[in-house]
């Protein structure tokens, strides 16, 4: 038993040594000479390219239902440690809620958002916020944003329901709190505003003033029906 324990200790030292190499330069950057071993073990996964612990089927927003998008429609990442998140991009599905889910599950579609919000306010998450969704048609914007689809058509204002606005605003508020994103039109944008896109959503009937007002109100609320307590 003693020999086994010593061997395990040496293996742990080697694991920490490899992680220390990954976080090389951190001590110098912080002006410290040596980082405690337990700190290295805790921080190693923050290094870009080293995967964070994940739980299959977990959602980033309480109240969302998890349905996985095809792996062809997103790229694994470790945001915000490898790519900072400073933007929410608003989309409209140009179809039904279920048709959007099916499209994002189709590997031939080559696109998906992180979330879909229904006209009844329900939310499905299809890609973790950690990961890069192919939703904006612009690599830089994909890497720095969370994409949210909304069920409906851009030329049908009746599709943009009160329930949808309220539910989406709570979701966006939670994202803005999590990543310290300002609630303004520079950081919460429509797909149409992404450079190089040929899309027009969310369209002329999307009420930006109303939406941002709802997001700001939800952000200042400590708890909402669809979220955990805000930090």
């Amino acid at each position: 038993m003693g020999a086994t324990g010593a061997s395990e200790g040496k293996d742990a030292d080697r694991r920490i040594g490899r992680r220390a190499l990954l976080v090389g330069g951190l001590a110098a950057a912080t002006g410290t000479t040596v980082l405690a071993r337990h700190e290295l073990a805790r921080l190693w996964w923050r290094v870009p390219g080293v995967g964070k612990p994940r739980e299959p089927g977990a959602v980033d927003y309480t109240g969302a239902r998890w349905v996985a998008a095809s792996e062809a429609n997103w790229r694994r990442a470790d945001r915000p440690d490898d790519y900072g998140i400073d933007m929410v991009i608003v989309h409209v599905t140009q179809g039904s809620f279920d048709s959007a889910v099916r499209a994002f599950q189709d590997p031939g579609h080559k696109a998906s958002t992180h979330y879909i919000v229904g006209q009844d306010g329900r939310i499905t998450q299809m890609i973790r916020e950690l990961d890069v969704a192919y939703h904006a048609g612009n690599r830089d914007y994909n890497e720095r944003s969370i994409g949210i689809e909304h069920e409906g058509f851009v030329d049908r204002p009746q599709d943009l329901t009160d329930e949808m606005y309220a539910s989406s605003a709570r979701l966006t508020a939670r994202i803005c709190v999590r990543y310290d994103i300002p609630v303004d039109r520079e950081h919460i944008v429509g797909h149409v505003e992404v450079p190089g896109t040929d899309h027009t959503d969310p369209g002329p009937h999307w009420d930006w003033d109303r939406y941002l007002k709802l997001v700001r109100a939800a952000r200042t609320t400590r708890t909402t029906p669809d979220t955990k307590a805000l930090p």
Side-chain angles (χ1 to χ4, degrees):
M1 291 295 291
T4 300
S7 176
E8 288 176 351
K10 290 177 181 177
D11 287 343
D13 287 344
R14 285 196 292 270
R15 286 196 297 272
I16 292 171
R18 288 193 292 271
R19 293 168 182 174
L21 288 174
L22 290 172
V23 295
L26 180 58
T30 57
T32 60
T33 304
V34 178
L35 285 173
R37 288 184 179 180
H38 75 276
E39 284 297 304
L40 289 174
R42 183 175 66 85
L43 295 174
W44 71 273
W45 57 265
R46 287 184 171 273
V47 178
V50 179
K52 295 184 178 69
R54 296 169 185 242
E55 179 182 344
V59 295
D60 297 300
Y61 182 75
T62 302
R65 179 178 68 115
W66 174 258
V67 178
S70 167
E71 292 184 0
N73 298 332
W74 56 276
R75 186 173 85 243
R76 188 179 179 95
D78 288 296
R79 302 188 308 168
D81 293 307
D82 47 7
Y83 303 105
I85 298 173
D86 65 357
M87 188 175 295
V88 174
I89 299 180
V90 174
H91 303 256
V92 168
T93 60
Q94 290 299 98
S96 69
F97 189 98
D98 291 340
S99 68
V101 171
R102 287 194 299 270
F104 296 162
Q105 290 178 313
D106 178 5
H109 189 65
K110 304 302 183 184
S112 179
T113 55
H114 295 89
Y115 294 97
I116 307 173
V117 182
Q119 292 175 358
D120 58 2
R122 60 181 161 153
I123 297 175
T124 289
Q125 182 171 3
M126 301 195 69
I127 298 171
R128 290 294 307 275
E129 292 178 12
L130 288 167
D131 297 319
V132 175
Y134 302 153
H135 67 99
N138 178 303
R139 180 170 181 168
D140 176 57
Y141 276 64
N142 283 342
E143 290 173 348
R144 60 191 285 205
S145 67
I146 303 293
I148 305 175
E149 285 280 6
H150 298 81
E151 178 187 12
F153 293 85
V154 297
D155 58 348
R156 290 171 46 173
Q158 66 270 26
D159 289 349
L160 307 178
T161 64
D162 293 344
E163 293 83 359
M164 176 187 287
Y165 271 117
S167 182
S168 176
R170 289 192 292 268
L171 170 60
T172 295
R174 189 69 183 89
I175 292 167
C176 289
V177 167
R178 193 189 335 270
Y179 304 109
D180 196 26
I181 300 172
V183 180
D184 58 35
R185 288 288 285 113
E186 182 180 350
H187 297 88
I188 303 175
V189 304
H191 193 183
V192 65
E193 298 169 88
V194 175
T197 186
D198 59 357
H199 288 251
T200 62
D201 56 314
H205 302 297
W206 185 265
D207 190 336
W208 284 107
D209 290 340
R210 175 186 182 186
Y211 188 64
L212 291 185
K213 183 177 180 180
L214 288 169
V215 174
R216 291 187 184 107
R219 181 169 177 151
T220 58
T221 302
R222 295 301 296 175
T223 58
T224 65
D226 296 319
T227 68
K228 300 175 182 177
L230 302 182

PDB file of all heavy atoms in Angstrom, residues 187-212:
ATOM      1  N   HIS A 187     -23.737  45.980 -28.750  1.00  0.00           N
ATOM      2  CA  HIS A 187     -23.417  44.637 -28.277  1.00  0.00           C
ATOM      3  C   HIS A 187     -24.575  43.660 -28.408  1.00  0.00           C
ATOM      4  O   HIS A 187     -24.381  42.447 -28.277  1.00  0.00           O
ATOM      5  CB  HIS A 187     -22.960  44.708 -26.816  1.00  0.00           C
ATOM      6  CG  HIS A 187     -21.708  45.504 -26.634  1.00  0.00           C
ATOM      7  ND1 HIS A 187     -21.714  46.865 -26.432  1.00  0.00           N
ATOM      8  CD2 HIS A 187     -20.404  45.126 -26.650  1.00  0.00           C
ATOM      9  CE1 HIS A 187     -20.467  47.291 -26.320  1.00  0.00           C
ATOM     10  NE2 HIS A 187     -19.650  46.262 -26.453  1.00  0.00           N
ATOM     11  N   ILE A 188     -25.776  44.145 -28.628  1.00  0.00           N
ATOM     12  CA  ILE A 188     -26.934  43.293 -28.910  1.00  0.00           C
ATOM     13  C   ILE A 188     -27.426  43.708 -30.288  1.00  0.00           C
ATOM     14  O   ILE A 188     -27.991  44.791 -30.460  1.00  0.00           O
ATOM     15  CB  ILE A 188     -28.039  43.465 -27.845  1.00  0.00           C
ATOM     16  CG1 ILE A 188     -27.480  43.152 -26.455  1.00  0.00           C
ATOM     17  CG2 ILE A 188     -29.223  42.551 -28.161  1.00  0.00           C
ATOM     18  CD1 ILE A 188     -28.467  43.419 -25.324  1.00  0.00           C
ATOM     19  N   VAL A 189     -27.177  42.858 -31.281  1.00  0.00           N
ATOM     20  CA  VAL A 189     -27.380  43.260 -32.670  1.00  0.00           C
ATOM     21  C   VAL A 189     -28.216  42.220 -33.404  1.00  0.00           C
ATOM     22  O   VAL A 189     -28.390  41.086 -32.951  1.00  0.00           O
ATOM     23  CB  VAL A 189     -26.029  43.445 -33.402  1.00  0.00           C
ATOM     24  CG1 VAL A 189     -25.157  44.452 -32.670  1.00  0.00           C
ATOM     25  CG2 VAL A 189     -25.291  42.119 -33.570  1.00  0.00           C
ATOM     26  N   GLY A 190     -28.711  42.616 -34.560  1.00  0.00           N
ATOM     27  CA  GLY A 190     -29.429  41.699 -35.428  1.00  0.00           C
ATOM     28  C   GLY A 190     -28.490  41.017 -36.404  1.00  0.00           C
ATOM     29  O   GLY A 190     -27.412  41.529 -36.724  1.00  0.00           O
ATOM     30  N   HIS A 191     -28.927  39.873 -36.908  1.00  0.00           N
ATOM     31  CA  HIS A 191     -28.132  39.150 -37.890  1.00  0.00           C
ATOM     32  C   HIS A 191     -27.840  40.030 -39.106  1.00  0.00           C
ATOM     33  O   HIS A 191     -26.763  39.971 -39.689  1.00  0.00           O
ATOM     34  CB  HIS A 191     -28.892  37.888 -38.311  1.00  0.00           C
ATOM     35  CG  HIS A 191     -28.062  36.906 -39.071  1.00  0.00           C
ATOM     36  ND1 HIS A 191     -28.579  35.735 -39.579  1.00  0.00           N
ATOM     37  CD2 HIS A 191     -26.749  36.913 -39.426  1.00  0.00           C
ATOM     38  CE1 HIS A 191     -27.622  35.070 -40.205  1.00  0.00           C
ATOM     39  NE2 HIS A 191     -26.508  35.756 -40.128  1.00  0.00           N
ATOM     40  N   VAL A 192     -28.788  40.866 -39.454  1.00  0.00           N
ATOM     41  CA  VAL A 192     -28.631  41.745 -40.610  1.00  0.00           C
ATOM     42  C   VAL A 192     -27.439  42.693 -40.467  1.00  0.00           C
ATOM     43  O   VAL A 192     -26.880  43.160 -41.468  1.00  0.00           O
ATOM     44  CB  VAL A 192     -29.934  42.554 -40.847  1.00  0.00           C
ATOM     45  CG1 VAL A 192     -30.203  43.504 -39.691  1.00  0.00           C
ATOM     46  CG2 VAL A 192     -29.897  43.303 -42.171  1.00  0.00           C
ATOM     47  N   GLU A 193     -27.036  42.962 -39.235  1.00  0.00           N
ATOM     48  CA  GLU A 193     -25.955  43.911 -38.979  1.00  0.00           C
ATOM     49  C   GLU A 193     -24.560  43.288 -38.999  1.00  0.00           C
ATOM     50  O   GLU A 193     -23.567  44.006 -38.867  1.00  0.00           O
ATOM     51  CB  GLU A 193     -26.195  44.599 -37.630  1.00  0.00           C
ATOM     52  CG  GLU A 193     -27.483  45.403 -37.593  1.00  0.00           C
ATOM     53  CD  GLU A 193     -27.838  45.855 -36.195  1.00  0.00           C
ATOM     54  OE1 GLU A 193     -27.364  46.934 -35.807  1.00  0.00           O
ATOM     55  OE2 GLU A 193     -28.580  45.125 -35.492  1.00  0.00           O
ATOM     56  N   VAL A 194     -24.479  41.992 -39.165  1.00  0.00           N
ATOM     57  CA  VAL A 194     -23.180  41.321 -39.185  1.00  0.00           C
ATOM     58  C   VAL A 194     -22.501  41.585 -40.534  1.00  0.00           C
ATOM     59  O   VAL A 194     -23.108  41.367 -41.589  1.00  0.00           O
ATOM     60  CB  VAL A 194     -23.347  39.812 -38.971  1.00  0.00           C
ATOM     61  CG1 VAL A 194     -22.012  39.089 -39.114  1.00  0.00           C
ATOM     62  CG2 VAL A 194     -23.951  39.532 -37.597  1.00  0.00           C
ATOM     63  N   PRO A 195     -21.274  42.042 -40.524  1.00  0.00           N
ATOM     64  CA  PRO A 195     -20.578  42.308 -41.789  1.00  0.00           C
ATOM     65  C   PRO A 195     -20.498  41.079 -42.683  1.00  0.00           C
ATOM     66  O   PRO A 195     -20.173  39.980 -42.227  1.00  0.00           O
ATOM     67  CB  PRO A 195     -19.173  42.737 -41.334  1.00  0.00           C
ATOM     68  CG  PRO A 195     -19.367  43.269 -39.956  1.00  0.00           C
ATOM     69  CD  PRO A 195     -20.448  42.425 -39.352  1.00  0.00           C
ATOM     70  N   GLY A 196     -20.850  41.265 -43.951  1.00  0.00           N
ATOM     71  CA  GLY A 196     -20.757  40.191 -44.918  1.00  0.00           C
ATOM     72  C   GLY A 196     -21.974  39.292 -45.016  1.00  0.00           C
ATOM     73  O   GLY A 196     -22.028  38.415 -45.876  1.00  0.00           O
ATOM     74  N   THR A 197     -22.976  39.505 -44.156  1.00  0.00           N
ATOM     75  CA  THR A 197     -24.145  38.633 -44.187  1.00  0.00           C
ATOM     76  C   THR A 197     -25.090  39.014 -45.320  1.00  0.00           C
ATOM     77  O   THR A 197     -25.122  40.168 -45.764  1.00  0.00           O
ATOM     78  CB  THR A 197     -24.906  38.689 -42.852  1.00  0.00           C
ATOM     79  OG1 THR A 197     -25.960  37.711 -42.869  1.00  0.00           O
ATOM     80  CG2 THR A 197     -25.548  40.058 -42.646  1.00  0.00           C
ATOM     81  N   ASP A 198     -25.874  38.035 -45.778  1.00  0.00           N
ATOM     82  CA  ASP A 198     -26.929  38.318 -46.749  1.00  0.00           C
ATOM     83  C   ASP A 198     -28.307  38.118 -46.129  1.00  0.00           C
ATOM     84  O   ASP A 198     -29.310  38.021 -46.828  1.00  0.00           O
ATOM     85  CB  ASP A 198     -26.775  37.429 -47.990  1.00  0.00           C
ATOM     86  CG  ASP A 198     -26.825  35.936 -47.664  1.00  0.00           C
ATOM     87  OD1 ASP A 198     -26.921  35.582 -46.468  1.00  0.00           O
ATOM     88  OD2 ASP A 198     -26.775  35.120 -48.613  1.00  0.00           O
ATOM     89  N   HIS A 199     -28.359  38.064 -44.793  1.00  0.00           N
ATOM     90  CA  HIS A 199     -29.622  37.872 -44.075  1.00  0.00           C
ATOM     91  C   HIS A 199     -30.235  39.220 -43.699  1.00  0.00           C
ATOM     92  O   HIS A 199     -29.532  40.220 -43.558  1.00  0.00           O
ATOM     93  CB  HIS A 199     -29.398  37.036 -42.815  1.00  0.00           C
ATOM     94  CG  HIS A 199     -29.116  35.599 -43.108  1.00  0.00           C
ATOM     95  ND1 HIS A 199     -29.999  34.575 -42.857  1.00  0.00           N
ATOM     96  CD2 HIS A 199     -28.025  34.991 -43.654  1.00  0.00           C
ATOM     97  CE1 HIS A 199     -29.475  33.413 -43.214  1.00  0.00           C
ATOM     98  NE2 HIS A 199     -28.280  33.645 -43.699  1.00  0.00           N
ATOM     99  N   THR A 200     -31.554  39.210 -43.501  1.00  0.00           N
ATOM    100  CA  THR A 200     -32.271  40.441 -43.150  1.00  0.00           C
ATOM    101  C   THR A 200     -32.896  40.386 -41.763  1.00  0.00           C
ATOM    102  O   THR A 200     -33.505  41.364 -41.321  1.00  0.00           O
ATOM    103  CB  THR A 200     -33.385  40.721 -44.171  1.00  0.00           C
ATOM    104  OG1 THR A 200     -34.344  39.640 -44.138  1.00  0.00           O
ATOM    105  CG2 THR A 200     -32.818  40.854 -45.577  1.00  0.00           C
ATOM    106  N   ASP A 201     -32.791  39.243 -41.092  1.00  0.00           N
ATOM    107  CA  ASP A 201     -33.416  39.115 -39.780  1.00  0.00           C
ATOM    108  C   ASP A 201     -32.652  39.883 -38.700  1.00  0.00           C
ATOM    109  O   ASP A 201     -31.454  40.115 -38.842  1.00  0.00           O
ATOM    110  CB  ASP A 201     -33.553  37.631 -39.389  1.00  0.00           C
ATOM    111  CG  ASP A 201     -32.226  36.877 -39.413  1.00  0.00           C
ATOM    112  OD1 ASP A 201     -31.472  37.025 -40.388  1.00  0.00           O
ATOM    113  OD2 ASP A 201     -31.954  36.124 -38.453  1.00  0.00           O
ATOM    114  N   PRO A 202     -33.363  40.343 -37.676  1.00  0.00           N
ATOM    115  CA  PRO A 202     -34.733  39.985 -37.299  1.00  0.00           C
ATOM    116  C   PRO A 202     -35.822  40.769 -38.027  1.00  0.00           C
ATOM    117  O   PRO A 202     -36.997  40.598 -37.718  1.00  0.00           O
ATOM    118  CB  PRO A 202     -34.766  40.287 -35.797  1.00  0.00           C
ATOM    119  CG  PRO A 202     -33.833  41.434 -35.635  1.00  0.00           C
ATOM    120  CD  PRO A 202     -32.714  41.168 -36.619  1.00  0.00           C
ATOM    121  N   GLY A 203     -35.464  41.620 -38.959  1.00  0.00           N
ATOM    122  CA  GLY A 203     -36.460  42.270 -39.797  1.00  0.00           C
ATOM    123  C   GLY A 203     -36.959  43.597 -39.246  1.00  0.00           C
ATOM    124  O   GLY A 203     -36.655  43.985 -38.114  1.00  0.00           O
ATOM    125  N   PRO A 204     -37.767  44.303 -40.054  1.00  0.00           N
ATOM    126  CA  PRO A 204     -38.198  45.660 -39.697  1.00  0.00           C
ATOM    127  C   PRO A 204     -39.204  45.721 -38.553  1.00  0.00           C
ATOM    128  O   PRO A 204     -39.423  46.795 -37.981  1.00  0.00           O
ATOM    129  CB  PRO A 204     -38.834  46.171 -41.000  1.00  0.00           C
ATOM    130  CG  PRO A 204     -39.302  44.928 -41.697  1.00  0.00           C
ATOM    131  CD  PRO A 204     -38.270  43.882 -41.384  1.00  0.00           C
ATOM    132  N   HIS A 205     -39.828  44.600 -38.219  1.00  0.00           N
ATOM    133  CA  HIS A 205     -40.854  44.608 -37.171  1.00  0.00           C
ATOM    134  C   HIS A 205     -40.289  44.299 -35.776  1.00  0.00           C
ATOM    135  O   HIS A 205     -41.022  44.376 -34.787  1.00  0.00           O
ATOM    136  CB  HIS A 205     -41.964  43.618 -37.516  1.00  0.00           C
ATOM    137  CG  HIS A 205     -42.626  43.891 -38.823  1.00  0.00           C
ATOM    138  ND1 HIS A 205     -43.342  45.054 -39.068  1.00  0.00           N
ATOM    139  CD2 HIS A 205     -42.650  43.174 -39.983  1.00  0.00           C
ATOM    140  CE1 HIS A 205     -43.797  45.030 -40.311  1.00  0.00           C
ATOM    141  NE2 HIS A 205     -43.392  43.912 -40.887  1.00  0.00           N
ATOM    142  N   TRP A 206     -39.008  43.942 -35.722  1.00  0.00           N
ATOM    143  CA  TRP A 206     -38.408  43.709 -34.408  1.00  0.00           C
ATOM    144  C   TRP A 206     -38.288  45.038 -33.685  1.00  0.00           C
ATOM    145  O   TRP A 206     -37.694  45.988 -34.188  1.00  0.00           O
ATOM    146  CB  TRP A 206     -37.042  43.056 -34.563  1.00  0.00           C
ATOM    147  CG  TRP A 206     -36.411  42.681 -33.252  1.00  0.00           C
ATOM    148  CD1 TRP A 206     -35.520  43.425 -32.532  1.00  0.00           C
ATOM    149  CD2 TRP A 206     -36.640  41.488 -32.504  1.00  0.00           C
ATOM    150  NE1 TRP A 206     -35.176  42.775 -31.382  1.00  0.00           N
ATOM    151  CE2 TRP A 206     -35.836  41.578 -31.327  1.00  0.00           C
ATOM    152  CE3 TRP A 206     -37.426  40.354 -32.706  1.00  0.00           C
ATOM    153  CZ2 TRP A 206     -35.823  40.567 -30.375  1.00  0.00           C
ATOM    154  CZ3 TRP A 206     -37.403  39.342 -31.746  1.00  0.00           C
ATOM    155  CH2 TRP A 206     -36.615  39.460 -30.600  1.00  0.00           C
ATOM    156  N   ASP A 207     -38.855  45.109 -32.486  1.00  0.00           N
ATOM    157  CA  ASP A 207     -38.906  46.362 -31.722  1.00  0.00           C
ATOM    158  C   ASP A 207     -37.680  46.436 -30.801  1.00  0.00           C
ATOM    159  O   ASP A 207     -37.702  45.947 -29.671  1.00  0.00           O
ATOM    160  CB  ASP A 207     -40.193  46.410 -30.907  1.00  0.00           C
ATOM    161  CG  ASP A 207     -40.447  47.781 -30.282  1.00  0.00           C
ATOM    162  OD1 ASP A 207     -39.475  48.537 -30.090  1.00  0.00           O
ATOM    163  OD2 ASP A 207     -41.621  48.076 -29.982  1.00  0.00           O
ATOM    164  N   TRP A 208     -36.635  47.079 -31.293  1.00  0.00           N
ATOM    165  CA  TRP A 208     -35.390  47.149 -30.538  1.00  0.00           C
ATOM    166  C   TRP A 208     -35.531  47.946 -29.251  1.00  0.00           C
ATOM    167  O   TRP A 208     -34.968  47.572 -28.210  1.00  0.00           O
ATOM    168  CB  TRP A 208     -34.278  47.731 -31.404  1.00  0.00           C
ATOM    169  CG  TRP A 208     -33.736  46.763 -32.397  1.00  0.00           C
ATOM    170  CD1 TRP A 208     -33.931  46.745 -33.746  1.00  0.00           C
ATOM    171  CD2 TRP A 208     -32.905  45.619 -32.112  1.00  0.00           C
ATOM    172  NE1 TRP A 208     -33.287  45.688 -34.321  1.00  0.00           N
ATOM    173  CE2 TRP A 208     -32.637  44.979 -33.350  1.00  0.00           C
ATOM    174  CE3 TRP A 208     -32.365  45.088 -30.952  1.00  0.00           C
ATOM    175  CZ2 TRP A 208     -31.852  43.830 -33.438  1.00  0.00           C
ATOM    176  CZ3 TRP A 208     -31.583  43.942 -31.035  1.00  0.00           C
ATOM    177  CH2 TRP A 208     -31.335  43.326 -32.262  1.00  0.00           C
ATOM    178  N   ASP A 209     -36.239  49.054 -29.295  1.00  0.00           N
ATOM    179  CA  ASP A 209     -36.414  49.861 -28.081  1.00  0.00           C
ATOM    180  C   ASP A 209     -37.113  49.048 -26.995  1.00  0.00           C
ATOM    181  O   ASP A 209     -36.696  49.055 -25.825  1.00  0.00           O
ATOM    182  CB  ASP A 209     -37.220  51.123 -28.387  1.00  0.00           C
ATOM    183  CG  ASP A 209     -36.444  52.128 -29.228  1.00  0.00           C
ATOM    184  OD1 ASP A 209     -35.204  52.045 -29.249  1.00  0.00           O
ATOM    185  OD2 ASP A 209     -37.091  52.995 -29.856  1.00  0.00           O
ATOM    186  N   ARG A 210     -38.156  48.351 -27.377  1.00  0.00           N
ATOM    187  CA  ARG A 210     -38.883  47.514 -26.421  1.00  0.00           C
ATOM    188  C   ARG A 210     -37.987  46.408 -25.885  1.00  0.00           C
ATOM    189  O   ARG A 210     -37.956  46.144 -24.675  1.00  0.00           O
ATOM    190  CB  ARG A 210     -40.116  46.918 -27.101  1.00  0.00           C
ATOM    191  CG  ARG A 210     -40.885  45.935 -26.237  1.00  0.00           C
ATOM    192  CD  ARG A 210     -41.999  45.283 -27.042  1.00  0.00           C
ATOM    193  NE  ARG A 210     -42.783  44.374 -26.217  1.00  0.00           N
ATOM    194  CZ  ARG A 210     -43.753  43.585 -26.683  1.00  0.00           C
ATOM    195  NH1 ARG A 210     -44.053  43.612 -27.983  1.00  0.00           N
ATOM    196  NH2 ARG A 210     -44.398  42.782 -25.871  1.00  0.00           N
ATOM    197  N   TYR A 211     -37.258  45.757 -26.783  1.00  0.00           N
ATOM    198  CA  TYR A 211     -36.431  44.621 -26.387  1.00  0.00           C
ATOM    199  C   TYR A 211     -35.338  45.037 -25.414  1.00  0.00           C
ATOM    200  O   TYR A 211     -35.149  44.403 -24.363  1.00  0.00           O
ATOM    201  CB  TYR A 211     -35.821  43.985 -27.633  1.00  0.00           C
ATOM    202  CG  TYR A 211     -35.101  42.683 -27.362  1.00  0.00           C
ATOM    203  CD1 TYR A 211     -35.789  41.572 -26.891  1.00  0.00           C
ATOM    204  CD2 TYR A 211     -33.737  42.547 -27.602  1.00  0.00           C
ATOM    205  CE1 TYR A 211     -35.138  40.368 -26.658  1.00  0.00           C
ATOM    206  CE2 TYR A 211     -33.078  41.352 -27.382  1.00  0.00           C
ATOM    207  CZ  TYR A 211     -33.786  40.266 -26.898  1.00  0.00           C
ATOM    208  OH  TYR A 211     -33.140  39.071 -26.662  1.00  0.00           O
ATOM    209  N   LEU A 212     -34.633  46.122 -25.718  1.00  0.00           N
ATOM    210  CA  LEU A 212     -33.554  46.550 -24.825  1.00  0.00           C
ATOM    211  C   LEU A 212     -34.100  47.004 -23.478  1.00  0.00           C
ATOM    212  O   LEU A 212     -33.466  46.796 -22.437  1.00  0.00           O
ATOM    213  CB  LEU A 212     -32.742  47.663 -25.475  1.00  0.00           C
ATOM    214  CG  LEU A 212     -31.895  47.252 -26.684  1.00  0.00           C
ATOM    215  CD1 LEU A 212     -31.045  48.428 -27.160  1.00  0.00           C
ATOM    216  CD2 LEU A 212     -30.994  46.066 -26.368  1.00  0.00           C
TER     217      LEU A 212
END
